[in-house]
Amino acid sequence: MPLSNSRQADAVSDHDPHSSFIKTPQQLIVVILLSFVVPIVGIILLVQLVMSHPAADPNALTDEAIAKRLQPVGRVEFGAAGAAAGSRTGEQVYQAVCTNCHQTGVAGAPKIGDKAAWAPRIKEGLNEMVADAINGVRAMPPRGGDPSLTDEEVARAVVYMANQSGARFKQPAVLSQKPDGKKVYETTCSACHASGVAGAPKLGDKAGWAPHLMHGMDALLQSALKGKGAMPPKGGNPSLSDDEVRAAVEFMVSQSK
């Protein structure tokens, strides 16, 4: 039976490849809105991406920041910082080495201040206690595990702990030692002064050191202690004592006259 004209038209419309997918006014409105919203959202996301890109920190390019990054990565030191080997006090040795066990009583170590625990040891006498500390006894390794300690430093640490725990031993005298300026230079100052980083006068460069020497040793020392230009205070090593800084300055000057 032949189709009516209306039904024929509908059938042709359903199969027309060029016909629009927009069938109603509501669909037309949605399409128009999306044509505006999608590009705007894309632009906003693109702007956020550009604005969130990390920028270089201008402070990272200063002379001070460059000099700090050029310092030695690390340095292994035994004992108390800023004190020359052999010159450390009993308290300094205790704080740097002995406190690891004698503060809390690890492995049976008598706690500092515990008079009952220290009494039998004090009764043995100072010489016996020092010998045990130097050679090691029971769970305690020789020299508390720090081979850099001198016999005198071990004795001072023993006296310090014993006297805090009921003894009345006489504290061994601390012998003053002049710091090794060459060693301080090698461990700290050479990071810049060996190659002339950030304008630092190179060791041995007489022409480079001449303008600095004109101001005298005191001025050089103050610059080294407080920092100047790209050089941080104490060459970036705050553990150095003033005497160690002076020794390093004297060494560099002696090599550059």
Side-chain angles (χ1 to χ4, degrees), residues 3-234:
L3 298 171
S4 66
N5 291 338
S6 175
R7 294 178 65 184
Q8 286 179 344
D10 291 341
V12 171
S13 176
D14 291 341
H15 294 86
D16 185 0
H18 299 290
S19 64
S20 172
F21 65 88
I22 301 174
K23 305 297 184 182
T24 65
Q26 290 83 355
Q27 291 177 339
L28 178 60
I29 293 173
V30 171
V31 170
I32 294 174
L33 290 176
L34 289 176
S35 67
F36 284 98
V37 173
V38 171
I40 293 174
V41 171
I43 293 172
I44 293 174
L45 292 175
L46 182 60
V47 170
Q48 289 180 340
L49 178 63
V50 173
M51 295 298 291
S52 65
H53 185 72
D57 183 3
N59 294 326
L61 302 178
T62 63
D63 290 340
E64 291 80 359
I66 294 172
K68 184 177 182 179
R69 291 197 296 273
L70 290 171
Q71 292 177 32
V73 174
R75 183 167 50 250
V76 177
E77 296 181 352
F78 291 103
S87 67
R88 288 165 286 192
T89 66
E91 183 176 6
Q92 286 176 324
V93 175
Y94 167 75
Q95 294 292 346
V97 181
C98 313
T99 187
N100 295 329
C101 295
H102 288 281
Q103 180 66 34
T104 57
V106 172
K111 292 174 61 175
I112 189 169
D114 185 344
K115 296 182 179 181
W118 278 89
R121 295 168 172 82
I122 294 172
K123 189 175 181 179
E124 293 176 353
L126 179 59
N127 290 339
E128 183 68 23
M129 294 172 66
V130 171
D132 287 343
I134 291 175
N135 300 317
V137 61
R138 293 181 288 278
M140 182 177 69
R143 303 177 192 276
D146 184 352
S148 75
L149 294 177
T150 64
D151 291 355
E152 292 77 12
E153 288 174 322
V154 173
R156 294 177 200 135
V158 170
V159 170
Y160 172 78
M161 290 187 291
N163 285 354
Q164 297 293 313
S165 309
R168 294 182 178 275
F169 295 131
K170 182 179 180 181
Q171 183 64 255
V174 176
L175 302 177
S176 60
Q177 289 187 346
K178 184 177 181 180
D180 187 342
K182 182 179 180 181
K183 183 177 180 180
V184 176
Y185 164 78
E186 292 173 347
T187 58
T188 302
C189 313
S190 62
C192 293
H193 288 282
S195 56
V197 172
K202 293 174 63 176
L203 183 71
D205 183 356
K206 296 181 179 180
W209 277 89
H212 302 279
L213 295 176
M214 291 176 59
H215 300 290
M217 281 296 299
D218 287 340
L220 280 174
L221 178 60
Q222 291 304 312
S223 296
L225 289 173
K226 300 178 181 179
K228 185 176 182 180
M231 180 179 68
K234 296 189 176 184

